[in-house]
Amino acid sequence: MASTKTCDGLKELMVDTLVYQMLVGYNHYGYGGRFGGRTFDLDQTTNAPTVTAAGGAAPESGPSHHTTTNVQERGVDEADIVKTDGKFVYTVHDNQLVIARTWPVAQTDVVARVTFKTLQPQQLYLRGNEVIVQGTATDALDGWNQGRTRVLVVDVTNRKAPRIKRMLDVEGWSASSRVVGDDLYMVQNNYAQLPPRLQQIAQKAIANVPRADQQTLRPWEIQARLAATMRRSLLASVTHADLTSALPRVRSNGTTRQLACEDLYLPSATNQVGMTTLAKISLTTNAVDLVGAMVSGGTVYSSTDAMYVAAPDYTWNYQGAASYGTQVHKFSLGSKQARPSYVATGRVEGQLLNQFSMSEHQGNLRIATTDWAWNGEQGGNHLFVMRPSGRELRTIGALKGLAKGERIYSGRMVGDKGYLVTFRQTDPLFTLDLSEPTRPRVAGEIKVNGFSSYIHPIGNDLLLTIGQDADDAGRVTGVHLQIFDVKDPAHPTRKFHEKVATRSTYSWSSAQDDHHAFMFDPITNTLAFPMAEQRGSSSFNGLAVYRVDPKHGFQRKGRIDHRTLADPVIAKQCADQKSSNPANAQYYCTETYRNQARMGFGISRSMVVDKYILSLSPVGLEIHALAGLEVAATLGWTKVEATSAIAVQ
């Protein structure tokens, strides 16, 4: 890997890529490539959002405790659609940031709404009296041709009057982000733009090449001559402005800075102009740093020191079939004194499941993959230990061929211990000894029916999992919970098993795929997760709530849905159809449609605040007492009326 200190490396890459594209029709430039990128409907309105406010001042005293976003690593915050500080809930809804007071519960109300005109908000962070809203920019900026991720830092010291204190645009499409300490880190997918002028020059160069005698030159010789001619012409035509304009930018409070050539790294051999960038944004100063590498980015994992970006890497045999691997790229997060930087790249066999397939410990990356061969055969599951050596992320230890014929369904690595769940017919839970990085090994194994999709350590060597139960033939039968005792890694045991759905024809929880939807409060031992279930003609889409006792197992507390908030929305749909299209009303006003529509308003998140559980859905917020799940407060998003409007610059 060599630094493009003089932009020469980027120049060569852009020219070679364009030549290859025009000769053989190569149109794939990796993630976010020029021909694979998304387009956006640009909103030409101003950048200033509007704020509507209601309610009174914040109460002085707060709850005894509250849960926060479920994250993978301690000290590494992850963005989500909702955050809470115990007194207030902050969430993105449609094109708004909604701030709702939830403490005291009797005073639950919307305090303010920030309506964004040029931002499609997607997720947020909460940091003291600041809410960091992140999403897609929808307005146009002169000279910016790629998509942009927009970040707004909102001062909510006065919850009734939130104030936009900072706006940033980071060019490219968001892969993921994290907050570590006082810094926001954003991983973006970009591409080095090829100016249309260069394509015209390349076409002209081809037209000016005399056609060679087909009897004296073979087809590949003709192609080589065309390529050489185009390459000479393009290298002479590319300007410094072409190169610098090809690099992504960051705009902070109106000031734009561009990725410098010396901060961009190129692999020794690459034929793509897709790149991954890492932006470090200080949340205490106006400092912004941007580094990048000409590599594809996909799954993102972050420790408190490093960011790892992994992407599928396919190689092809002479028959045109693929074998599957994963490219892994390491970036240093830097420090208060040091800027972030590219560190190294490596490759492993197989493909990742998700971010939990990676974990860093003492400078070593542990990465778990499922290996699929080019002919479709499953070659087992592997765990690799990688460490930088120069610009190479080398494999220093490996455990290969685990559970052939199965694939990884979940994983978790904590310290020098690891856990993998594979599945085909039964669910082996493997305990791993990772204490010797060069010799990772299986410590023990337990086989049970079904599988676990997410593993959550709950202390005292216990693992709480959620997944799907299955019969002896491997047919899944519905959502289940398990608690495994891994105190003795050589002999793990299943202490408790809870079948959440026993009579349904279908059941699923979004917590199986999204760990942010999984909520466990160790103070009250409350477990809550979204639950969708179809049972004959009846259905349920809400929240399942349990008490988890490490000594006695699972106690079902009940279920919550937002039917009372959804029904007025569904009734309005019926009324609108009656007035606009009476023929459709025969369908929209039936009980069958009502039941189906309720399934579309499922609960997505939950939080424990003191002795209450809060649940969030697209139609609103409900608060229930933990003791008996009695309703304590409801707040529908469509019912809130603004009492005043404040322009925010």
Side-chain angles (χ1 to χ4, degrees), residues 85-312:
D85 56 14
K87 299 179 183 179
F88 296 89
V89 165
Y90 311 82
T91 186
V92 287
H93 175 67
D94 292 334
N95 67 325
Q96 296 179 329
L97 165 66
V98 180
I99 304 175
R101 178 177 56 238
T102 56
W103 189 268
V105 171
Q107 298 180 25
T108 296
D109 197 5
V110 167
V111 172
R113 290 173 178 253
V114 180
T115 303
F116 303 107
K117 297 179 180 178
T118 59
L119 171 69
Q120 295 175 351
Q122 295 163 340
Q123 49 194 2
L124 49 83
Y125 292 94
L126 176 63
R127 187 175 177 274
N129 287 325
E130 291 180 347
V131 176
I132 303 164
V133 184
Q134 180 179 317
T136 301
T138 58
D139 59 337
L141 284 180
D142 292 339
W144 293 50
N145 299 318
Q146 301 190 58
R148 286 173 288 121
T149 299
R150 175 158 290 171
V151 176
L152 292 177
V153 181
V154 185
D155 186 341
V156 295
T157 303
N158 183 350
R159 269 67 175 183
K160 288 180 59 178
R163 178 179 63 89
I164 307 298
K165 63 183 295 186
R166 188 179 182 189
M167 183 174 74
L168 300 103
D169 286 301
V170 184
E171 198 163 14
W173 296 273
S174 176
S176 193
S177 67
R178 300 288 192 275
V179 167
V180 180
D182 293 328
D183 300 300
L184 168 66
Y185 295 89
M186 300 176 62
V187 178
Q188 299 286 109
N189 291 323
N190 301 267
Y191 59 89
Q193 300 179 69
L194 301 175
R197 176 178 72 80
L198 296 182
Q199 297 186 22
Q200 296 169 4
I201 291 173
Q203 291 170 348
K204 186 177 180 179
I206 292 177
N208 291 336
V209 174
R211 294 298 176 186
D213 187 348
Q214 298 295 320
Q215 294 181 349
T216 60
L217 290 178
R218 297 177 177 85
W220 56 87
E221 292 175 327
I222 298 173
Q223 188 179 68
R225 178 171 295 184
L226 291 173
T229 302
M230 270 197 297
R231 195 171 190 277
R232 284 194 302 270
S233 179
L234 288 170
L235 286 174
S237 303
V238 174
T239 67
H240 182 74
D242 291 330
L243 299 177
T244 56
S245 65
L247 300 176
R249 289 150 285 196
V250 176
R251 188 180 72 159
S252 176
N253 284 350
T255 301
T256 300
R257 63 159 298 183
Q258 198 157 26
L259 177 67
C261 283
E262 56 265 28
D263 292 324
L264 177 67
Y265 295 88
L266 271 69
S268 55
T270 183
N271 60 358
Q272 67 154 357
V273 290
M275 73 176 75
T276 296
T277 58
L278 174 64
K280 177 183 179 181
I281 299 167
S282 172
L283 299 175
T284 56
T285 69
N286 289 322
V288 175
D289 288 305
L290 189 64
V291 298
M294 299 299 290
V295 295
S296 296
T299 305
V300 175
Y301 160 79
S302 179
S303 67
T304 55
D305 300 314
M307 189 80 72
Y308 293 88
V309 183

Side-chain angles (χ1 to χ4, degrees), residues 309-320:
V309 183
D313 181 68
Y314 307 128
T315 57
W316 305 86
N317 69 358
Y318 67 95
Q319 294 175 323

Side-chain angles (χ1 to χ4, degrees), residues 236 349 428:
E349 302 169 37

Side-chain angles (χ1 to χ4, degrees), residues 280 334-339:
K280 177 183 179 181
S335 63
K336 290 184 178 180
Q337 294 77 28
R339 301 176 63 236

